[in-house]
Amino acid sequence: MKTQATLLIGAAVLSVTSCDTKNYTEEDRVRVTTNLENYVDSVENAVQFVPVHNWEKIDERYDSLDDRAEKVYNDLKAEDDNLEMIEERYETMVKNAKTESENFERTAEMHMNNVETWWDKTTADVEKGTKNTAEDIEDATQESLDWLEKNFDKLGDETKKKYEEISMKLNKD
């Protein structure tokens, strides 16, 4: 009888410990889903204002949040439809944002090249004795200067530096 009781207790303990123990709660699932959604929302908002980003860092953070969410969902054996929708939204947003960023960079480069070409041409005239004035700026060049000034905070460092050098020299004259 004593052996039978020991076996029954041992079996009960074994069945309790062998059951799939959950490390996470439904609250954890909601929290990780909300964190992931909020992150995607913040990236989506950021790309609307500033076209140039460090996508490697953004992807690393997204992957970290997504991995955490997947662990919680797997532990709870929950359907991950929410995660799939968030991932699809994120991937679409990143693809569109990278395209916008490339377009912005091409536009910035075009305007900077226009200004540099004009600057190189007028600098050669200055060496010949012709004074360079703001009235001499051609319409297309002025449009490029205006665009660069308007989008200055969004420009890459190299373009900012070039723009500042030409602006300083132009305002000096």
Side-chain angles (χ1 to χ4, degrees):
M1 190 71 164
K2 193 174 184 184
T3 306
Q4 212 175 18
T6 304
L7 287 174
L8 283 174
I9 292 173
V13 169
L14 182 61
S15 68
V16 168
T17 58
S18 69
C19 286
D20 190 16
T21 57
K22 304 263 186 243
N23 294 322
Y24 301 103
T25 65
E26 182 64 19
E27 185 178 302
D28 293 325
R29 187 191 65 77
V30 169
R31 188 178 72 254
V32 296
T33 304
T34 301
N35 289 347
L36 190 58
E37 263 185 318
N38 288 343
Y39 183 72
V40 172
D41 288 344
S42 69
V43 172
E44 196 170 48
N45 288 331
V47 299
Q48 291 177 7
F49 295 107
V50 180
V52 180
H53 295 280
N54 183 341
W55 291 107
E56 188 176 311
K57 291 278 187 202
I58 290 171
D59 286 341
E60 282 177 13
R61 179 67 177 141
Y62 173 83
D63 290 342
S64 168
L65 290 169
D66 186 51
D67 288 346
R68 173 83 171 138
E70 285 180 11
K71 284 179 187 173
V72 172
Y73 273 72
N74 288 339
D75 186 67
L76 295 173
K77 294 180 179 31
E79 290 291 321
D80 65 351
D81 292 344
N82 285 343
L83 295 183
E84 289 175 16
M85 288 184 343
I86 294 168
E87 181 177 9
E88 190 174 304
R89 183 175 147 222
Y90 176 76
E91 288 173 357
T92 300
M93 181 265 309
V94 168
K95 179 183 171 199
N96 292 339
K98 285 181 178 180
T99 300
E100 285 293 317
S101 178
E102 290 167 3
N103 289 338
F104 179 84
E105 287 295 323
R106 266 194 304 279
T107 303
E109 187 176 327
M110 178 203 62
H111 284 294
M112 195 68 240
N113 287 340
N114 186 21
V115 170
E116 285 178 318
T117 299
W118 173 82
W119 182 254
D120 290 343
K121 183 184 104 193
T122 57
T123 301
D125 288 344
V126 169
E127 290 172 4
K128 293 178 188 170
T130 308
K131 182 150 169 70
N132 195 10
T133 66
E135 293 90 39
D136 294 334
I137 297 175
E138 299 158 357
D139 289 342
T141 303
Q142 186 60 53
E143 183 181 324
S144 291
L145 283 168
D146 292 344
W147 188 93
L148 290 165
E149 182 178 357
K150 178 182 172 194
N151 292 288
F152 185 80
D153 291 336
K154 300 175 186 177
L155 298 174
D157 292 339
E158 182 77 19
T159 306
K160 281 181 181 178
K161 183 179 175 185
K162 289 178 184 178
Y163 174 77
E164 286 176 331
E165 287 173 3
I166 290 175
S167 290
M168 284 177 30
K169 290 176 183 175
L170 185 61
N171 291 328
K172 203 191 260 187
D173 291 336

